[in-house]
Amino acid sequence: MDAQLLRSTFAVVERRAEHAVTFFYSHLFWHNPGVRELFPEDLRAQRDRLFAALTHVVTHLEDPGLAEYLAHLGRDHRKFLASPALYAAVGTSLTAAFAHAAGAAWSVEAEKAWAEAYGYVAELMIRGAEQAGAEGEPPWWDAVVVRHRRLDEDLAVLTLKPRRPFAYRPGQYVGVSSLRVPRVWRTYSLANAARADGTVDLHVSRIPGGAMSTALVDAVREGEPLRLSAPGGALTARTAPDVPRSYIAAGTGWAPVKALLEEVADGPEGVEARLFLVARAKEYLYGKGDAEHLRERIPGLKVTYIASAPERPREQATERLLRALYACGNWPTHDVYVAGPPELLAETLPALQQLGAPRVHHDRLPTPGEARPLGTAEWFIARPEPHWHNPADRAPR
């Protein structure tokens, strides 16, 4: 693939991202009318994801991990009922949209480069989907809500019972779909290690304008069906039993960290660990009770609670966290697991590097080269203000 040509034309298209994606969907639905029913009524989030995926591919063309990323993406797209015919239709419409948006920057060479690149992407995604099917993995798992617990006005814990075995690793996230919001999938972290009864917990925060989060917090009831996608995410345990570890969790970043700590509690004794549990204000430290229970189960666990002072900006919580991190020692000996809003991670990760932490694990953050697309293309209206309770504020894998 001609990476330089792909990136130069993509840079031009990116400046007209909203126009390009609108053209893409119009072209796709006009030439393939039956495809429209596979997409949600509100396409804004779908547009965000499309350009985010394109951005990831273009910025990681030489990355050896790109093939694995695309295979996982294809596996995940089975929940959208994506077929080889749909991949072909998408390729045709994407090329047409790029040609239209690029204007004079488009050429025969650019069209050839993008056709080859998309063919490569589609082939790996289809191969990933076929492999998942061959291994007996369903496109999604049907589950039922067995418990719905409201923690405050905007936060709820849902306990789900998948109807068939659902294998995952603590720290991973899962896509969730509800009949109340047709054809929409939203990502939430799984908040527990494996249980004998197979149930899983989700921590769901209602965010302004969030149709799925509002439905899950306010409307969904016990006994109601939901669907779960295949699990994903990079925040999984990679630490040997004799290696100390530190956990940093902010907002609903507590969900995957709680699952990781439950895994530690179920394992060998004598683990040295410390937890920094962060919230924008003291009243939002909803995980304190679970943290205290885990401290009893893990004798070597030290817990520090951090929040902004009353009537102080929530940014103070980040400042207090950084002070607490610098006050601790032995960072070069610790594996570190971090989950929280991207803004918190963006400040915390450089501090951990400066402190000498050799292995810091977290779900992928946007790279500096992706900053502009994420600001102008991935978010077409106004980027929502980060919400400490919102797991979607953590960048997806």
Side-chain angles (χ1 to χ4, degrees):
M1 290 184 289
D2 190 335
Q4 183 175 354
L5 181 56
L6 292 171
R7 290 192 178 111
S8 64
T9 52
F10 186 75
V12 176
V13 172
E14 188 274 325
R15 289 195 289 270
R16 305 184 68 197
E18 182 176 1
H19 180 72
V21 179
T22 300
F23 186 98
F24 163 75
Y25 280 109
S26 298
H27 188 280
L28 179 65
F29 297 152
W30 177 262
H31 292 280
N32 306 274
V35 167
R36 182 64 182 90
E37 64 184 19
L38 300 178
F39 290 79
E41 182 177 343
D42 186 348
L43 286 171
R44 284 176 295 178
Q46 193 71 27
R47 292 170 177 175
D48 297 347
R49 289 187 181 85
L50 171 63
F51 228 91
L54 289 171
T55 300
H56 181 91
V57 171
V58 170
T59 56
H60 293 80
L61 289 171
E62 293 90 358
D63 188 342
L66 180 60
E68 181 183 357
Y69 168 83
L70 292 172
H72 181 88
L73 199 61
R75 168 196 177 203
D76 186 63
H77 271 58
R78 296 173 70 222
K79 68 177 184 271
F80 299 119
L81 302 178
S83 65
L86 178 59
Y87 279 102
V90 166
T92 299
S93 295
L94 190 65
T95 302
F98 273 34
H100 183 76
W106 195 251
S107 64
V108 173
E109 292 76 16
E111 183 163 344
K112 181 175 182 292
W114 275 101
E116 292 176 350
Y118 181 79
Y120 170 78
V121 168
E123 179 184 355
L124 289 178
M125 290 181 66
I126 292 171
R127 190 182 304 169
E130 290 175 344
Q131 182 177 350
E135 293 172 354
E137 182 179 290
W140 60 74
W141 280 257
D142 291 309
V144 63
V145 179
V146 296
R147 188 183 183 195
H148 187 289
R149 182 162 55 101
R150 196 73 169 262
L151 298 186
D152 64 31
E153 183 179 352
D154 294 320
L155 183 66
V157 175
L158 279 67
T159 301
L160 312 180
K161 173 70 173 177
R163 297 189 183 278
R164 59 185 296 176
F166 180 69
Y168 66 95
R169 295 186 62 191
Q172 289 190 304
Y173 53 73
V174 66
V176 179
S177 179
S178 167
L179 293 173
R180 294 179 181 271
V181 194
R183 301 183 298 281
V184 171
W185 291 82
R186 291 292 179 266
T187 300
Y188 297 95
S189 290
L190 297 160
N192 60 281
R195 294 171 176 156
D197 65 0
T199 59
V200 295
D201 288 346
L202 306 176
H203 294 180
V204 182
S205 173
R206 180 175 54 192
I207 59 173
M212 179 64 75
S213 65
T214 299
L216 294 178
V217 172
D218 290 345
V220 166
R221 296 290 179 264
E222 293 179 3
E224 191 163 324
L226 296 176
R227 284 177 172 176
L228 305 178
S229 73
L235 190 67
T236 53
R238 309 173 201 181
T239 305
D242 59 339
V243 175
R245 67 287 309 268
S246 294
Y247 301 88
I248 302 170
T252 48
W254 170 236
V257 168
K258 174 177 172 288
L260 288 167
L261 285 168
E262 287 187 2
E263 185 178 36
V264 171
D266 293 336
E269 295 184 0
V271 171
E272 180 184 340
R274 54 195 183 197
L275 166 65
F276 301 86
L277 189 56
V278 190
R280 54 178 174 160
K282 186 176 180 180
E283 58 268 27
Y284 290 97
L285 281 168
Y286 75 94
K288 194 171 181 179
D290 288 327
E292 290 299 317
H293 180 60
L294 285 164
R295 177 152 55 181
E296 294 175 2
R297 296 181 62 195
I298 309 171
L301 178 63
K302 298 178 180 178
V303 182
T304 302
Y305 301 107
I306 297 170
S308 299
E311 300 183 1
R312 296 288 295 175
R314 64 181 175 191
E315 288 77 8
Q316 188 188 59
T318 305
E319 297 171 4
R320 287 184 167 183
L321 169 63
L322 294 176
R323 286 200 297 269
L325 298 182
Y326 279 102
C328 291
N330 301 322
W331 287 105
T333 67
H334 277 238
D335 277 15
V336 185
Y337 297 84
V338 189
E343 288 73 14
L344 178 127
L345 267 68
E347 295 191 51
T348 303
L349 297 181
L352 291 168
Q353 183 178 16
Q354 187 176 15
L355 288 164
R359 294 171 298 276
V360 180
H361 309 294
H362 57 87
D363 277 330
R364 187 183 66 85
L365 277 178
T367 63
E370 292 176 294
R372 187 170 163 223
L374 286 171
T376 62
E378 187 182 357
W379 299 92
F380 297 120
I381 311 299
R383 185 165 186 167
E385 185 179 354
H387 192 295
W388 284 88
H389 273 165
N390 180 17
D393 280 337
R394 297 200 313 281
R397 178 178 183 274

